[in-house]
Amino acid sequence: MTVDGQAATVTIAWTLPDENTAAVGFRLNGDTTIECAETATASGSCQLTEVPPGSYAVEYREDEGSWTDADADADVPVAPPVAVTATPTLHGLTVAWGPSPSPGVTGYVATATPVGGEPVSCQSTTGCALTGLTYREYTVSVVAKTAGPESEGATVAATPLPETPPAPTGVTAKLSGPNAITISWKPVTSALGVPIKYMGGIGAENWGTGCWDEPRDALTCTVDDLPAGTAYTITAYAIGDVMSEPGRAAAKLTIPLPSSIPDGAPPMRSDLDGADPAAGDSITISGTGYQPYSTVLLAIYSEPVTLGSATVEDDGTFSATVKLPDGYVGEHSLLASGTGLDGKPRYMQLALTIAAGGGGGLPVTGTPVALLLALGAGLVLGGGGLLTASRPRRALTTA
């Protein structure tokens, strides 16, 4: 005999002698009796469906005689509901099911239980909604209820939909050190009471360097060791169930280049081979020790003027050709500003003695060219005046 508790069925199987000629009938006898539809004269079986829950004895009889205990029992449980589904909603689950095959079911209870959390239940005959859940996985169990026992649970796993918090607003940024930017933002509120934390970051394009490794409950943060000369995008995120869209400052913020060549900046290489370039010449420079795929800003000093930029190769090197501006004559330096392999600002420099270009010019070592030219002209004129004044006067003669 086989009992299928999931389907509320009992299958009775028997073996009869080959010489049997009696019509043998079989039944279950308990709180109610359920009889096989047909008698048999040979070995066989019958399946009884929609068997009410309870304990039954298996009995048989021959040729419509008295019923005799077959020394077999059947314990039939309440069958659980079928085809259970749990459809995620915002912080909730909509649970549906098909009816239990067992007779006498009075209703159903759906319960959602997270790992290590408190269960949440709802009751119905065909389906119900579980609300007030959080964004994590739940085991959803649906049991069929009767006036007596209840079924085992039919279970599925499901995760409610997360709440996406709004992006932070009021994102602002300010310079807070030679290579530091401090950003701040306004707080974000969850409509469902989800705790909100934040991440702030600064990058040349989008997200680059974050303030922290993990979200924090703070409304301001500082990113240090940022290379100068770069315009930075300022971004803040709110993190609840999931991360918000980015909140950004209205404008980028640029860390100015150093006012002078930083002390200890190692030398770059060039293609000059010891020769002095002239104003207006193009030279090729290269450096090492930068973060792969980052950007290096190239400038000329005394007062910094940007000449261009270069993208670092995967081995940490860069190479670029720059044109020396007209009018820069005399002692100057080139500076490559970028991010080192350690994530901190890295500077390399190249000292130059720049000769005058085809248009000529006076040596320039940091003072603006126009001013030096004016001073030079003034000295020449002044010298001429002195020379004229020192000559003896000739006497005037008349014919």
Side-chain angles (χ1 to χ4, degrees):
M1 180 180 60
T2 303
V3 176
D4 185 349
Q6 299 295 310
T9 63
V10 176
T11 300
I12 302 174
W14 57 82
T15 301
L16 298 177
D18 292 340
E19 63 273 14
N20 176 68
T21 59
V24 182
F26 295 87
R27 75 175 185 179
L28 294 177
N29 187 23
D31 289 340
T32 185
T33 58
I34 306 174
E35 190 172 339
C36 292
E38 298 180 358
T39 60
T41 58
S43 300
S45 65
C46 81
Q47 185 180 69
L48 304 174
T49 61
E50 295 185 4
V51 179
S55 296
Y56 297 87
V58 179
E59 298 176 337
Y60 71 96
R61 68 178 178 179
E62 297 178 355
D63 296 329
E64 301 294 330
S66 300
W67 290 100
T68 303
D69 191 338
D71 197 22
D73 298 315
D75 289 321
V76 181
V78 179
V82 297
V84 174
T85 61
T87 302
T89 60
L90 181 61
H91 276 217
L93 297 168
T94 299
V95 187
W97 57 83
S100 163
S102 294
V105 172
T106 58
Y108 301 86
V109 177
T111 303
T113 306
V115 175
E118 293 297 320
V120 177
S121 298
C122 62
Q123 300 185 43
S124 177
T125 55
T126 57
C128 59
L130 295 164
T131 60
L133 307 182
T134 56
Y135 179 54
R136 50 180 169 172
E137 187 176 72
Y138 287 79
T139 298
V140 180
S141 174
V142 182
V143 299
K145 307 283 284 186
T146 69
E150 65 182 36
S151 73
E152 292 183 352
T155 62
V156 294
T159 301
L161 297 178
E163 177 196 40
T164 301
T169 59
V171 180
T172 60
K174 64 179 182 180
L175 297 175
S176 54
N179 296 97
I181 294 176
T182 296
I183 64 179
S184 59
W185 53 88
K186 293 181 179 179
V188 168
T189 301
S190 163
L192 300 176
V194 177
I196 300 294
K197 294 186 178 181
Y198 303 91
M199 285 290 288
I202 295 169
E205 293 300 330
N206 294 304
W207 183 265
T209 301
C211 297
W212 314 297
D213 294 333
E214 297 292 336
R216 293 188 183 180
D217 185 12
L219 299 177
T220 185
C221 69
T222 298
V223 179
D224 204 347
D225 295 329
L226 294 168
T230 300
Y232 289 98
T233 297
I234 312 302
T235 308
Y237 291 93
I239 296 117
D241 289 335
V242 292
M243 182 179 287
S244 72
E245 292 295 316
R248 291 205 170 101
K252 291 187 174 185
L253 184 63
T254 301
I255 295 180
L257 289 168
S259 58
S260 60
I261 300 295
D263 293 339
M268 288 186 284
R269 294 181 179 273
S270 75
D271 60 352
L272 293 174
D273 293 328
D276 291 335
D281 284 354
S282 293
I283 64 172
T284 298
I285 56 177
S286 60
T288 61
Y290 293 87
Q291 276 194 359
Y293 313 114
S294 64
T295 299
V296 174
L297 197 67
L298 308 171
I300 188 169
Y301 284 70
S302 299
E303 291 187 7
V305 173
T306 301
L307 302 181
S309 63
T311 300
V312 180
E313 302 293 337
D314 58 6
D315 61 355
T317 65
F318 80 88
S319 179
T321 299
V322 296
K323 182 178 180 180
L324 301 177
D326 293 335
Y328 274 73
V329 179
E331 303 298 324
H332 293 280
S333 293
L334 300 183
L335 184 69
S337 304
T339 304
L341 296 174
D342 58 0
K344 297 182 178 182
R346 176 169 175 78
Y347 302 101
M348 297 187 75
Q349 58 88 23
L350 178 66
L352 297 173
T353 300
I354 303 176
L362 296 176
V364 178
T365 59
T367 304
V369 175
L371 176 60
L372 287 181
L373 289 174
L375 291 173
L379 290 174
V380 170
L381 291 173
L386 291 173
L387 179 60
T388 302
S390 65
R391 290 177 180 172
R393 295 184 178 183
R394 285 183 184 175
L396 293 176
T397 59
T398 59

